[in-house]
Amino acid sequence: MKGRGFISLAEAELLTGTSLVPVAGQWFALPQIVESALKSLTAQLDTHGEIDLAPLSPHERDLVTLLPNVVVSAGIARRRDADALSVHPLAQQIRNDGLTGPSSAHFDRNVVRQLAQQGVIFEHDAVAFHRDTLESLRPELEKLWQVSPEGFTVSQLRDALGITRKHAVPLAECVDKYGLTRRAGDVRIRGHRW
């Protein structure tokens, strides 16, 4: 069993000749392997505030459900308290401001930090955008890639959305952080969330 990582319960029972209990879903692994995988998923959640299940391996998708205080909705795992934070008045204000994200320099930095850690908002150069605002950009981004398949510039994004450079640069950075786009030189190409 050592060195095999996660294997199906059926395979584990064939190898051991005993009846076993799955660690998650229909997967079996040694305790130290499970612990390592859970630590890795927890680190992703702490860093990004959420985990997109699509790029995960099948056993990782099942393991996410074992993380404490985590809910999965629409293929995204988030901490339960992130949903509570999403209704925070500051989160609502940032959502309502849409593409002209407010200056977050004067907001309570502790609240901003918590909202950012939980993936409710994304911030760059003291300008904040709500995840719903970023998600709503999908149709416009697709149009930009139809015009510029090799990637679009911040200027093209600014013109397409009718916003100023003051908001376009932080918005482009936040869309990168969110994962819809990825910077490649001077252009933005599809990110891991696409």
Side-chain angles (χ1 to χ4, degrees):
M1 296 291 296
K2 256 187 173 176
R4 291 189 179 266
F6 283 85
I7 59 175
S8 71
L9 183 63
E11 185 180 352
E13 289 179 340
L14 281 174
L15 288 170
T16 62
T18 61
S19 181
L20 300 168
V21 176
V23 293
Q26 289 300 308
W27 300 100
F28 182 82
L30 296 175
Q32 62 268 31
I33 293 170
V34 174
E35 184 180 338
S36 175
L38 288 172
K39 280 183 181 176
S40 173
L41 289 168
T42 299
Q44 287 181 54
L45 197 56
D46 290 343
T47 301
H48 303 292
E50 62 186 24
I51 301 174
D52 184 353
L53 301 189
L56 297 182
S57 64
H59 72 268
E60 287 175 317
R61 288 185 202 123
D62 287 336
L63 280 176
V64 164
T65 64
L66 299 181
L67 295 174
N69 199 31
V70 169
V71 292
V72 176
S73 175
I76 303 291
R78 291 187 181 95
R79 294 199 191 279
R80 197 167 269 116
D81 53 357
D83 289 333
L85 277 173
S86 69
V87 297
H88 189 282
L90 182 56
Q92 297 304 315
Q93 178 184 345
I94 293 169
R95 176 189 285 139
N96 293 340
D97 286 339
L99 294 176
T100 56
S103 170
S104 54
H106 304 293
F107 294 155
D108 181 331
R109 292 311 302 164
N110 185 45
V111 174
V112 169
R113 181 184 51 75
Q114 288 179 46
L115 290 170
Q117 282 179 341
Q118 297 299 325
V120 176
I121 66 165
F122 292 79
E123 181 186 36
H124 183 78
D125 282 347
V127 179
F129 300 94
H130 195 280
R131 68 179 174 221
D132 292 350
T133 300
L134 301 179
E135 190 62 39
S136 74
L137 294 175
R138 282 182 183 271
E140 288 301 324
L141 297 178
E142 187 60 50
K143 288 177 191 172
L144 286 166
W145 282 313
Q146 287 174 0
V147 173
S148 303
E150 72 289 347
F152 60 84
T153 65
V154 172
S155 296
Q156 288 173 299
L157 178 67
R158 178 196 68 211
D159 294 345
L161 298 176
I163 58 177
T164 65
R165 183 167 174 76
K166 172 186 171 186
H167 290 102
V169 171
L171 178 63
E173 294 292 332
C174 289
V175 175
D176 289 347
K177 289 177 188 177
Y178 185 62
L180 289 179
T181 58
R182 182 168 57 89
R183 188 174 182 169
D186 291 333
V187 297
R188 258 56 185 205
I189 60 176
R190 285 173 170 79
H192 70 274
R193 265 188 204 270
W194 205 262

